[in-house]
């Protein structure tokens, strides 16, 4: 089974977004006011050439974010705290074709959550089944969804996702899961906190767990250090999730693959497991 890291450009964020500071609403304020920027971080999606069909985890960012007015003018996070950097040819459709994958051949698009740098390339996949956690999708509704930073007005009009509810099937340290494939090797697990309905994808292969973590933590080190990010919708939940992930990787040989970790593609290629 071929598995690919698919990079759609880079994003620079505030240091306080990686290392959250303060509590409650102050965490976001501290992120916005922070004067220090991270190095440019990759934006990864992941393509699995599974025998039951091609699975794409997240869709990266769209180059349209560079157009004036793409981000809402009233939202200080988008105006002052995020700098995406990509060209149209960095979008996921071009990147997949370079790997020999036709976007129309993707069977499932799983979205770990609905932040712009994960759903930005979704318009390239009108023929795929789009899979989202029910909780995450419901959090995007209305004005409160806008305040949470979901850009629903930018989503494709055809979007009619399959909303998943978890089943009481424990998977390692996770009490609930949703099995996607008939083979039973691809499961979705709730890793909430960064967003209220955030999920991760687990692929069991050759005795290893490939853990596609979305933004459950931005990097492997931040997970090992149990650092909650500065924009997490639920700080406590995020802390619990990080603990569960750490327990999981201590118990099972795991290749841990967050969406913005500069070393993630290398770890996938070398099947480097987390050492704790
Ligand atoms: Zn995110």
């Amino acid at each position: 089974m071929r598995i690919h890291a698919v990079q759609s450009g880079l994003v620079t964020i505030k240091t306080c977004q990686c290392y959250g500071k303060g509590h409650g609403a102050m965490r976001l304020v501290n992120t916005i006011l922070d004067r220090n920027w991270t190095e440019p971080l990759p934006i990864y999606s992941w393509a699995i050439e599974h025998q039951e069909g091609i699975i794409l985890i997240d869709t990266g960012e769209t180059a349209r974010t560079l157009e004036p007015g793409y981000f809402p003018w009233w939202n200080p996070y988008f105006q002052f705290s995020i700098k995406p950097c990509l060209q149209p040819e960095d979008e996921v459709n071009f990147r997949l074709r370079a790997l020999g994958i036709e976007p129309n051949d993707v069977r499932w698009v799983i979205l770990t959550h609905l932040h712009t740098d994960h759903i930005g390339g979704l318009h390239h996949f009108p023929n795929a089944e789009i899979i989202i956690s029910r909780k995450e999708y419901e959090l995007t509704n209305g004005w409160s969804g806008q305040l949470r930073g979901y850009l629903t007005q930018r989503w494709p009009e055809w979007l009619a996702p399959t909303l998943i509810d978890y089943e009481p099937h424990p998977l390692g340290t996770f009490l609930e899961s949703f099995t996607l494939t008939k083979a039973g090797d691809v499961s979705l697990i709730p890793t909430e906190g960064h967003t209220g309905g955030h999920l991760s994808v687990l692929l069991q292969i050759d005795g290893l767990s490939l853990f596609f973590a979305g933004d459950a933590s931005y990097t492997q080190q931040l997970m090992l250090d149990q650092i909650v990010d500065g924009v997490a919708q639920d700080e406590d939940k995020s802390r619990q999730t990080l603990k569960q992930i750490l327990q999981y990787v201590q118990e099972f040989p795991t290749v841990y693959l967050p969406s913005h970790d500069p070393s993630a593609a290398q770890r996938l290629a070398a099947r480097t497991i987390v050492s704790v």
Side-chain angles (χ1 to χ4, degrees), residues 119-162:
I119 195 174
L122 186 63
H123 55 285
H124 299 300
F125 304 94
N127 295 327
E129 182 178 0
I130 315 297
I131 295 177
I132 304 174
S133 101
R134 181 181 302 281
K135 206 164 166 188
E136 180 73 4
Y137 191 69
E138 287 174 354
L139 282 167
T140 65
N141 281 335
W143 184 235
S144 55
Q146 292 291 304
L147 288 175
R148 290 187 186 101
Y150 295 114
L151 303 178
T152 51
Q153 64 279 28
R154 301 296 183 197
W155 296 356
E157 276 174 23
W158 48 256
L159 178 60
T162 301

Side-chain angles (χ1 to χ4, degrees), residues 17 113-118 194-195 198 214-215 218 231 260:
Q17 183 168 342
H113 63 301
L114 300 175
H115 280 161
T116 172
D117 52 330
H118 297 257
H194 175 73
T195 60
H198 189 284
D215 289 356
Y218 293 130
V231 296
H260 303 292

Side-chain angles (χ1 to χ4, degrees), residues 6-183:
V6 186
Q7 186 179 349
S8 64
L10 297 160
V11 63
T12 308
I13 55 175
K14 300 289 186 68
T15 311
C16 275
Q17 183 168 342
C18 287
Y19 302 85
K21 207 168 101 186
H23 291 290
M26 280 314 290
R27 295 173 73 80
L28 182 57
V29 173
N30 286 331
T31 296
I32 292 166
L33 297 180
D34 188 1
R35 292 186 177 180
N36 301 308
W37 294 87
T38 64
E39 59 174 323
L41 302 172
I43 303 172
Y44 283 122
S45 309
W46 312 93
I48 303 171
E49 297 190 48
H50 195 278
Q51 58 272 21
E52 293 174 35
I54 296 166
I55 302 170
L56 182 68
I57 302 167
D58 288 333
T59 63
E61 189 51 284
T62 168
R64 287 197 58 207
T65 49
L66 303 183
E67 294 171 7
Y70 185 86
F71 289 134
W73 61 269
W74 53 265
N75 187 321
Y77 173 77
F78 287 116
Q79 295 305 326
F80 306 119
S81 307
I82 182 170
K83 291 183 198 163
C85 174
L86 75 160
Q87 303 296 319
E89 58 272 22
D90 293 322
E91 289 194 20
V92 66
N93 57 326
F94 281 99
R95 293 295 176 180
L96 285 177
R97 284 199 185 104
L99 294 165
I101 297 173
E102 204 32 59
N104 273 340
D105 292 341
V106 171
R107 175 171 177 187
W108 288 296
V109 172
I110 306 171
L111 296 170
T112 59
H113 63 301
L114 300 175
H115 280 161
T116 172
D117 52 330
H118 297 257
I119 195 174
L122 186 63
H123 55 285
H124 299 300
F125 304 94
N127 295 327
E129 182 178 0
I130 315 297
I131 295 177
I132 304 174
S133 101
R134 181 181 302 281
K135 206 164 166 188
E136 180 73 4
Y137 191 69
E138 287 174 354
L139 282 167
T140 65
N141 281 335
W143 184 235
S144 55
Q146 292 291 304
L147 288 175
R148 290 187 186 101
Y150 295 114
L151 303 178
T152 51
Q153 64 279 28
R154 301 296 183 197
W155 296 356
E157 276 174 23
W158 48 256
L159 178 60
T162 301
L163 301 179
I164 62 120
D165 300 301
Y166 299 103
E167 293 147 4
H169 295 156
L171 193 52
T173 51
F174 297 90
L175 301 178
E176 298 180 312
S177 64
F178 176 90
T179 309
L180 181 73
T181 51
K182 283 206 182 88

Side-chain angles (χ1 to χ4, degrees), residues 222-242:
L222 287 163
M223 181 276 291
L224 291 172
D225 295 342
Q226 301 281 287
I227 307 285
V228 175
D229 73 65
V231 296
Q233 283 175 15
D234 187 330
E235 192 187 336
D236 293 337
K237 202 95 199 223
S238 181
R239 194 162 286 117
Q240 266 174 38
T241 289
L242 291 171

